[in-house]
Amino acid sequence: IPSMAAEAIVRCMLAGRAPAPGARAAVAELELADYDQLFAGRTIVTGRRTEGSEAEAPPLYRRVLREAYGRLPAEIRDLHDRPTAMAGVAMVERGGHPLARLLANLFGFPTPGRTPVRVEFERTLQGGEVWRRNFGGRSFSSRQWEGRGRWAGLILESFGPVTVGLAPVVAEGRLELIVRRWSLFGVVLPRAWSPTGPAYEHVEEGRFAFAVTISHPWLGKLVSYEGQLSPATDA
């Protein structure tokens, strides 16, 4: 931001660090630390990205959330830092609209009722994750990765041809995932048409817990499911 850079230069001059006169490349005149005081009053976070192997890269949610990740309860951090097979019980509900039920079936979403659930995680070579969910023998999976460009700062999750850009927000001890963008077959569509939540992870009775609702503005609820997970005994 030019005005912010100008303010940073003025502050350096007042501190006795005036830039040398003359025309030249000035990329080294300001350091990231010179912006810290300017960022303090704004919702701006900073970090450094280092190149390395995917095995050495921080987990997806830790990378995207940065400093906010540390405010999550340990049960949530453990699942994202050391993903393994998790198992538990969930309650599932379906929407009443006929087209909503049809879409839920096409995506493989679970059927209504109380059912055992198992979730398996796989990290990809690109630093993303694949989540495979099995509700009482009915499976569906999604792929998650870090957004870039216009999708920067979001966690992208794809279910078949649908991709949603989720803003991860840490609030009141839980991780909320809020839909900000979406696309169908790679075509970005208006947010007013997008599937909606709520969706969040939290801690319940000392265990990792989840609550997900997938709705559409025109069709109402497609599916909702909530429950608790613990490390699977056969993981």
Side-chain angles (χ1 to χ4, degrees), residues 25 39 78 112 127 137 145 153 198 200 224-225:
F39 289 169
D78 286 346
W145 68 100
Y200 57 91
S224 65
Y225 47 91

Side-chain angles (χ1 to χ4, degrees), residues 100-118:
R101 293 199 298 270
L102 175 62
L103 289 174
N105 287 331
L106 288 176
F107 282 106
F109 292 150
T111 54
R114 181 180 174 87
T115 179
V117 58
R118 179 184 176 94

Side-chain angles (χ1 to χ4, degrees), residues 6-120:
E7 183 178 347
I9 291 173
V10 171
R11 288 178 179 273
C12 288
M13 294 175 66
L14 293 175
R17 292 170 46 216
R24 70 198 183 286
V27 294
E29 292 295 342
L30 292 174
E31 300 291 341
L32 185 59
D34 295 323
Y35 287 93
D36 288 345
Q37 186 173 354
L38 304 178
F39 289 169
R42 298 174 171 86
T43 55
I44 299 175
V45 296
T46 64
R48 297 182 183 274
R49 186 184 300 276
T50 57
E51 298 298 328
S53 68
E54 295 295 344
E56 297 171 347
L60 174 62
Y61 282 74
R62 182 178 288 274
R63 291 200 315 272
V64 176
L65 281 165
R66 299 185 182 183
E67 292 86 351
Y69 190 81
R71 301 202 303 270
L72 286 170
E75 292 83 353
I76 297 178
R77 297 198 310 271
D78 286 346
L79 180 139
H80 292 290
D81 281 343
R82 295 179 291 276
T84 184
M86 304 285 286
V89 176
M91 284 297 300
V92 182
E93 295 182 356
R94 285 279 196 96
H97 194 287
L99 187 54
R101 293 199 298 270
L102 175 62
L103 289 174
N105 287 331
L106 288 176
F107 282 106
F109 292 150
T111 54
R114 181 180 174 87
T115 179
V117 58
R118 179 184 176 94
V119 185
E120 297 180 351

